[in-house]
Amino acid sequence: AQSVSQHNHHVILSEAASLELGCNYSYGGTVNLFWYVQYPGQHLQLLLKYFSGDPLVKGIKGFEAEFIKSKFSFNLRKPSVQWSDTAEYFCAVIFTGGGNKLTFGTGTQLKVEL
Amino acid sequence: KAGVTQTPRYLIKTRGQQVTLSCSPISGHRSVSWYQQTPGQGLQFLFEYFSETQRNKGNFPGRFSGRQFSNSRSEMNVSTLELGDSALYLCASSPTPGLNTGELFFGEGSRLTVL
C-alpha cells in the first residue's frame, strides 16, 4: 500500500542548530513531493515541493529538501534553525493518478529553544 | 486575495447528531479537498471535488459525505456522529485538479468536538 513515513515525531533543537527531518514513502511509480508546515495557531502552508528536475529543491525561509529516488526519501533540511521555526512539519506525497489527493506523514513536532 | 474560509470554526455536537461544515475556496479555485486531522491519525484525505463532481474519495464510511456547488463552495456532512469523529476538518483549494497541480491552499479548519 502507498504510505508516507516520518520517523521523527518530536524534535527539540537549540537555535542555530542544523535540522534534518526524514520522510520516506512506499511506492514504485511517479510521485510529487511536498513539505507543509503548521505554525502554532495557523493554517497549513507549503514549504516546498518537488515534481521533477533538480532533486535538491529550495523553499521558503531557508528550507531545502532532497529527493533521493533510490531511497524513496525526501528529507527536509535547514542549516541553522530559529526559534520561529517551532512548528509541526508534514511530509506529503501525491502518487500517480492521485489527482489532488495528498497522503500525509504523521508529522514532526519541532521545538526550537533559545 | 482572501484565503480559504471555513465555517464554523468551532462546534460541539453529541453522539448521533449530524453536522455540516462549509468551505469557501480562494476566488478562482475550482478544486476543493477535505481532510480530517487528529492527533493519532494525522491528516487523512476525505474527498476532492471539482466542478461539482467528486473526483477522489478516501477510506471513510458513508456517514461522511460532501458536495460542491456551482460557485465552487463546498460542504461536508457527517451523520450519526461518533466520539471518534472529533477532529479538525481542513478544507483545501487549488486552481485545477490532477497531477502536477502544485500547491494546495488550506483553511484554518473547523474543530468538531463530539460529546
Side-chain angles (χ1 to χ4, degrees), chain B residues 62-114:
Chain B
R63 300 185 297 106
F64 292 80
S65 62
R67 59 178 175 168
Q68 187 181 34
F69 302 95
S70 58
N71 62 358
S72 296
R73 191 176 70 84
S74 176
E75 288 181 348
M76 68 162 283
N77 184 79
V78 187
S79 62
T80 319
L81 284 166
E82 301 177 359
L83 295 178
D85 297 333
S86 295
L88 182 67
Y89 290 88
L90 295 172
C91 171
S93 75
S94 73
T96 55
L99 204 61
N100 300 329
T101 56
E103 182 176 1
L104 292 186
F105 295 81
F106 284 85
E108 294 186 331
S110 293
R111 184 165 296 282
L112 170 65
T113 301
V114 182

Side-chain angles (χ1 to χ4, degrees), chain A residues 30-32 34 36 38 41-46 49 51 88 90 94-106, chain B residues 31 33 35 37 40-43 45 48 55-58 88 90 94 96-104 106-108:
Chain A
T30 303
V31 293
N32 287 357
F34 306 81
Y36 279 82
Q38 191 170 33
Q42 295 187 28
H43 57 87
L44 273 167
Q45 55 188 285
L46 183 71
K49 62 188 178 186
F51 286 171
E88 190 158 17
F90 294 91
I94 292 179
F95 301 104
T96 305
N100 267 349
K101 176 184 174 182
L102 281 169
T103 299
F104 282 87
T106 50
Chain B
S31 173
S33 304
Y35 290 80
Q37 186 177 14
Q41 299 293 320
L43 283 134
F45 174 78
E48 176 197 357
R55 297 186 69 250
N56 227 328
K57 190 176 190 305
L88 182 67
L90 295 172
S94 73
T96 55
L99 204 61
N100 300 329
T101 56
E103 182 176 1
L104 292 186
F106 284 85
E108 294 186 331

Side-chain angles (χ1 to χ4, degrees), chain A:
Chain A
Q2 302 158 352
S3 64
V4 181
S5 301
Q6 291 181 244
H7 307 294
N8 314 102
H9 298 295
H10 292 88
V11 173
I12 301 175
L13 294 173
S14 299
E15 268 204 327
S18 64
L19 170 72
E20 180 160 4
L21 301 182
C23 173
N24 289 88
Y25 64 92
S26 60
Y27 182 66
T30 303
V31 293
N32 287 357
L33 301 160
F34 306 81
W35 275 97
Y36 279 82
V37 61
Q38 191 170 33
Y39 297 103
Q42 295 187 28
H43 57 87
L44 273 167
Q45 55 188 285
L46 183 71
L47 264 183
L48 46 78
K49 62 188 178 186
Y50 173 80
F51 286 171
S52 63
D54 188 345
L56 183 62
V57 293
K58 295 191 183 298
I60 61 172
K61 303 185 181 185
F63 286 90
E64 65 179 31
E66 184 176 14
F67 172 48
I68 303 180
K69 190 173 182 179
S70 61
K71 294 185 178 181
F72 302 95
S73 70
F74 189 56
N75 292 354
L76 180 71
R77 299 194 294 248
K78 186 172 184 179
S80 176
V81 294
Q82 300 174 304
W83 177 79
S84 57
D85 293 325
T86 294
E88 190 158 17
Y89 293 81
F90 294 91
C91 179
V93 180
I94 292 179
F95 301 104
T96 305
N100 267 349
K101 176 184 174 182
L102 281 169
T103 299
F104 282 87
T106 50
T108 297
Q109 185 66 52
L110 171 66
K111 182 178 180 182
V112 180
E113 297 178 330
L114 295 171

